[in-house]
Amino acid sequence: MEFFERFAIPHPSPAIYASMVAIGLVTIAIIFGLTYFKKWGYLWREWLTTVDHKRLGIMYLISAILMLFRGGADAIMMRAQLAAPENKLLDAQHYNEIFTTHGVVMILFMAMPFIIGFMNFVVPLQIGARDVAFPRLNALSFWLFFAGAMLFNISFVIGGSPDAGWTSYFPLADNEFSQSVGTNYYMIAIQIAGLGTLMTGINFMTTILKMRAPGMTLMKMPMFTWSALIANVIIVFAFPVLTVALAMGTLDRLFGTHFFASTNGGMDMLWANLFWVWGHPEVYILILPAFGIYSEVISTFARRNLYGYKSMVASMVIISLLSFLVWVHHFFTMGQGALVNSIFSITTMAIAVPTGVKIFNWLFTLYKGKIEVTTPMLYSMLFIPLFTIGGVTGVMLGMSAADYQYHNTMFLVAHFHMVIIPGVVFAMLAALFYYWPKMFGFMLNEKLGKLGAWVIAIGTLLAFMPMFFSGLDGQARRMYTYSESSGFGIWNMISFVGALGLAIGFALIVYNIYYSFRYASRDIGSDPWDARTLEWATHTPVPEYNFATMPQIESVEPFWDDKKNGKKLFKDKIEKIHMPNNTGIPFIMGVLFFIWGFSFIFAMWIPLIIFTLAIFGCMAYQSFENDHGRYISVEEVEETENKLGGKR
């Protein structure tokens, strides 16, 4: 029995046992449904083996929404535990596991796939490309992300969740203090998902730099494409640092090295530095594409071109450079000295300047615009004041002397959430409503959408504004309970009510999807928002090849000029179109990486070696496979175009 004991949960609870049952029942239901409706073949042909950037984007978004509710359940449990003094809902260990998994799930397995999902769907359409530069690598990127996400999410039912915080600082994450395999899950699952993200960065940099439509210079690219390019440059520079740090952490835990130990020449602060050299640029990997989304939405619904295009691009470039020069502000209190703290305090406050430029550009775009308040626009307008609160408190935290008061209190938690929720989550919800008709051929209900936006905005304020006050009063983050005499109870109860409000808001979005799927009109045309950029110039649904002929770009807003100023966008005649073939290798490699990671986590060396060889075997097979893709004939293209309403 010793072998099987390692898979047991070290700290089981009724909630975990209920989760085990739920996972089993859902799995059985999915298998039964696919078998009963005879959908296994469809699933394999159309989704599991696809290399179409649009389908991969949709799968990223589905994964992100599932992880949003997974991380949201953790958040509700944390807020419920802290809602009253000396609460017994969770014990200390369970609370540690929940706040650790909440942070990792929300940042790496919710926000990242949301961002990358919209990059996948939108960027090739915005630049007039037929696919990404490396379609099979794109599919492998998704399946590696998905394997890492699923591996991380089985931890709480097999072996135990990580419990050293989402930053997993050493020596707390070492074997001495984290004795279960939970932190192994952290090291391996994030490593696998991170490899997929690094591949995405390389792929989209190449796509944007090499596959733009004729005439689309860099300074004629849409703002979302610019933000995607800069975010992917940051990915390529930042994620290798995380890869190295996780590899070193894995060696410490499984092979007895001492990179991050506090003895035998180890250096626990090395982990803090490596983590935040990746971790702070990661914030801008999330926020810059969100800024790109806001730029597209605000320009569309203000009914005017984006104010200050060049300054928007310049500010994003400056943000990307400064993002690598601020990481030490995450540990001002850890003994660097006054000079180092002062330097990083200055760089931290400096990064607020280009961010402020963008805020003013959006406000000037709105100024004298013919504003139409749709659901995407409502999220974008709510973002500006809420994000400004988060940004200003970030400057407060950037002052190293003041940070001695704020650090490790709920003030910091409030700041981070007031940046990420309005800055990233609102942007992703705006994009979801904005691009939904292009993805699925019908629009989400506007009344339900606006109601959900207001509920989520009010919930955000109620959930996180009280944390500023309790933090200034001295409430430490990460503590699972507090005494009644501390006075924190009222603030935490308000936060719990706000968290429930957020849950109701997201439930409204789910109901909106259900309601709109049943009742929304399918006769919406290809451009329901009267938009300005190239992705709206193709049909709905978007054909496999995106564009029958390549668009000819003459301005920053070629589709708008085509509609309003008579500048013809599509001039060439239809020719045969080359497209890549589907392949099952990326999906198979995702499964192999999942089992490989599971074997690594539990130190099962023989399966690890077998699946390592299998992974290399797939790579060799892919390398030597003689597959040059296929051509879609002129007749097929014309038939599809006529069916969808004529050549664009």
Side-chain angles (χ1 to χ4, degrees), residues 9-27:
I9 307 298
H11 307 282
S13 71
I16 290 175
Y17 288 135
S19 298
M20 290 180 180
V21 173
I23 289 171
L25 291 175
V26 169
T27 303

Side-chain angles (χ1 to χ4, degrees), residues 340-421:
V340 172
N341 280 359
S342 298
I343 291 169
F344 283 92
S345 184
I346 291 167
T347 58
T348 299
M349 288 186 275
I351 208 167
V353 176
T355 306
V357 168
K358 304 178 85 60
I359 296 285
F360 281 108
N361 281 356
W362 291 317
L363 292 173
F364 284 128
T365 304
L366 292 168
Y367 179 62
K368 291 188 177 179
K370 298 177 181 177
I371 298 171
E372 181 183 353
V373 183
T374 60
T375 302
M377 187 62 158
L378 181 58
Y379 276 113
S380 303
M381 295 174 74
L382 288 168
F383 144 77
I384 293 175
L386 296 185
F387 180 79
T388 301
I389 293 170
V392 168
T393 54
V395 175
M396 293 170 65
L397 285 158
M399 295 183 285
S400 56
D403 190 64
Y404 276 78
Q405 169 67 30
Y406 307 136
H407 194 73
N408 265 349
T409 70
M410 296 302 285
F411 187 95
L412 187 148
V413 177
H415 152 72
F416 182 76
H417 285 83
M418 287 300 293
V419 168
I420 292 297
I421 292 180

Side-chain angles (χ1 to χ4, degrees), residues 93 140 214 226 353 411 420 422 524 575 577 599 609 632 643:
Q93 177 61 31
L140 180 60
W226 256 115
V353 176
F411 187 95
I420 292 297
I524 60 170
E575 298 178 349
I577 297 172
S599 303
I609 293 168
I632 302 175
K643 182 180 175 183

Side-chain angles (χ1 to χ4, degrees), residues 394-515:
V395 175
M396 293 170 65
L397 285 158
M399 295 183 285
S400 56
D403 190 64
Y404 276 78
Q405 169 67 30
Y406 307 136
H407 194 73
N408 265 349
T409 70
M410 296 302 285
F411 187 95
L412 187 148
V413 177
H415 152 72
F416 182 76
H417 285 83
M418 287 300 293
V419 168
I420 292 297
I421 292 180
V424 178
V425 178
F426 280 28
M428 296 306 101
L429 296 177
L432 191 70
F433 278 84
Y434 187 59
Y435 286 113
W436 187 275
K438 183 57 70 175
M439 292 177 178
F440 300 108
F442 63 93
M443 298 179 73
L444 295 176
N445 184 273
E446 279 290 290
K447 287 185 178 179
L448 285 171
K450 290 175 184 175
L451 176 61
W454 281 112
V455 171
I456 288 171
I458 294 167
T460 300
L461 284 169
L462 282 175
F464 301 109
M465 288 302 290
M467 295 183 192
F468 286 118
F469 300 108
S470 67
L472 290 174
D473 279 347
Q475 183 182 0
R477 58 179 175 153
R478 302 191 181 101
M479 65 187 213
Y480 83 105
T481 191
Y482 54 90
S483 67
E484 187 173 359
S485 60
S486 65
F488 301 150
I490 182 63
W491 302 121
N492 285 284
M493 179 55 74
I494 296 170
S495 287
F496 176 57
V497 172
L500 292 177
L502 283 166
I504 293 168
F506 289 117
L508 280 170
I509 292 173
V510 174
Y511 176 70
N512 193 343
I513 292 171
Y514 163 77
Y515 178 88

Side-chain angles (χ1 to χ4, degrees), residues 33-218:
L34 290 170
T35 305
Y36 182 81
F37 293 106
K38 299 178 181 178
K39 291 295 183 181
W40 287 106
Y42 167 80
L43 184 67
W44 177 258
R45 289 189 309 273
E46 301 296 328
W47 294 95
L48 300 184
T49 63
T50 188
V51 295
D52 186 338
H53 70 94
K54 299 178 289 296
R55 292 189 175 227
L56 289 167
I58 289 170
M59 288 196 289
Y60 269 115
L61 295 177
I62 292 170
S63 303
I65 291 170
L66 290 174
M67 291 299 102
L68 176 65
F69 286 96
R70 161 71 172 89
D74 288 339
I76 291 292
M77 285 192 284
M78 280 191 288
R79 298 321 313 162
Q81 166 62 23
L82 293 175
E86 300 174 16
N87 201 348
K88 304 294 184 183
L89 178 67
L90 303 174
D91 61 29
Q93 177 61 31
H94 199 178
Y95 187 85
N96 286 347
E97 293 175 4
I98 285 171
F99 82 66
T100 299
T101 56
H102 170 74
V104 175
V105 165
M106 287 303 207
I107 296 295
L108 290 168
F109 299 132
M110 185 280 288
M112 284 296 287
F114 245 134
I115 294 290
I116 294 172
F118 285 117
M119 282 185 195
N120 264 276
F121 193 92
V122 175
V123 166
L125 296 174
Q126 280 201 336
I127 64 174
R130 294 213 160 98
D131 209 316
V132 296
F134 309 113
R136 292 189 171 190
L137 189 69
N138 198 28
L140 180 60
S141 298
F142 171 75
W143 289 114
L144 287 181
F145 150 75
F146 192 75
M150 292 302 101
L151 190 61
F152 188 86
N153 277 280
I154 66 167
S155 64
F156 74 106
V157 294
I158 303 176
S161 292
D163 57 2
W166 92 273
T167 56
S168 204
Y169 280 162
F170 284 77
L172 186 61
D174 211 339
N175 289 323
E176 181 182 355
F177 298 104
S178 294
Q179 296 178 359
S180 75
V181 296
T183 303
N184 293 357
Y185 272 109
Y186 179 101
M187 297 291 166
I188 304 299
I190 296 176
Q191 184 81 287
I192 293 170
L195 287 173
T197 304
L198 181 58
M199 292 175 188
T200 295
I202 295 167
N203 204 346
F204 275 87
M205 278 180 62
T206 309
T207 301
I208 295 168
L209 293 175
K210 290 294 185 181
M211 296 184 67
R212 300 189 304 278
M216 183 178 281
T217 62
L218 287 174

